[in-house]
Amino acid sequence: MSSSRRSFGRAGKALGAWQARQWLVAGLGALATAVAVGVPTDVVPTPLFGRSVPVQWWNYPALALTAVLAGLVLSTYVRPPAASPIQPPGASPSTQPPGTARDGRMGALGGVLSFFAVGCPVCNKLVLVLLGSSGALSYWAPLQPLFAVASVALLAEAALRRLSSESQCPVVPAPNAGVPGA
């Protein structure tokens, strides 16, 4: 077995072992991400939000990839129904797979970057304060595709790491989970 924290083979096996519950969470997570990022940035047109600068062609694939990858990352936090509620002998209840918190932060950062990547460059208040409207169009807008690539890369890396460790470090319930009064 490879000592690397990430492996396409282990990730593929983990995806193959997913049950309907995990796929449902992945789909709902992808939908929620698409709405949470797409509606306020007006990539998904609604009467609630407007946009001063037209949506670019690359905003759509960036939003789609972000949504799918965020759904996969979210679903790795769901324990499969067949998971044993009993801890293996000698397992520490506080033990998490190595890097789990870091992988979660990578996914969160990827989601935040996607919001900045597909958003209207002159609708971002922080960018407007720092650069003004002409600076937002001249300097910020050309950087947005790079933010989209970084966002997708971070989400893909987080998904790969979490999926790779799923079979090696299965989710175990917390001590006294489900015990009333504990």
Side-chain angles (χ1 to χ4, degrees):
M1 187 177 299
S2 171
S3 63
S4 174
R5 291 197 37 230
R6 58 188 192 120
S7 159
F8 288 107
R10 286 195 313 263
K13 286 179 185 175
L15 284 174
W18 275 13
Q19 296 179 358
R21 178 180 173 194
Q22 290 160 303
W23 286 112
L24 177 65
V25 169
L28 292 174
L31 181 63
T33 301
V35 169
V37 174
V39 169
T41 59
D42 207 35
V43 174
V44 176
T46 65
L48 300 174
F49 294 95
R51 198 176 161 117
S52 303
V53 177
V55 175
Q56 303 297 308
W57 68 268
W58 55 266
N59 290 156
Y60 298 107
L63 178 62
L65 286 171
T66 295
V68 168
L69 290 169
L72 289 175
V73 171
L74 175 67
S75 197
T76 62
Y77 288 95
V78 175
R79 183 175 54 159
S84 169
I86 301 170
Q87 287 181 219
S92 168
S94 64
T95 303
Q96 286 189 349
T100 300
R102 184 175 182 201
D103 299 342
R105 286 190 296 263
M106 244 193 289
L109 179 60
V112 170
L113 283 179
S114 71
F115 191 82
F116 286 112
V118 299
C120 169
V122 295
C123 302
N124 185 329
K125 304 293 186 245
L126 181 63
V127 173
L128 279 177
V129 167
L130 294 175
L131 302 174
S133 60
S134 63
L137 291 171
S138 301
Y139 300 111
W140 178 252
L143 292 176
Q144 285 183 295
L146 300 176
F147 275 79
V149 169
S151 165
V152 169
L154 285 169
L155 283 165
E157 181 67 18
L160 182 60
R161 285 185 183 190
R162 291 208 40 92
L163 286 167
S164 295
S165 66
E166 203 169 86
S167 61
Q168 288 184 320
C169 304
V171 176
V172 293
N176 301 325
V179 178

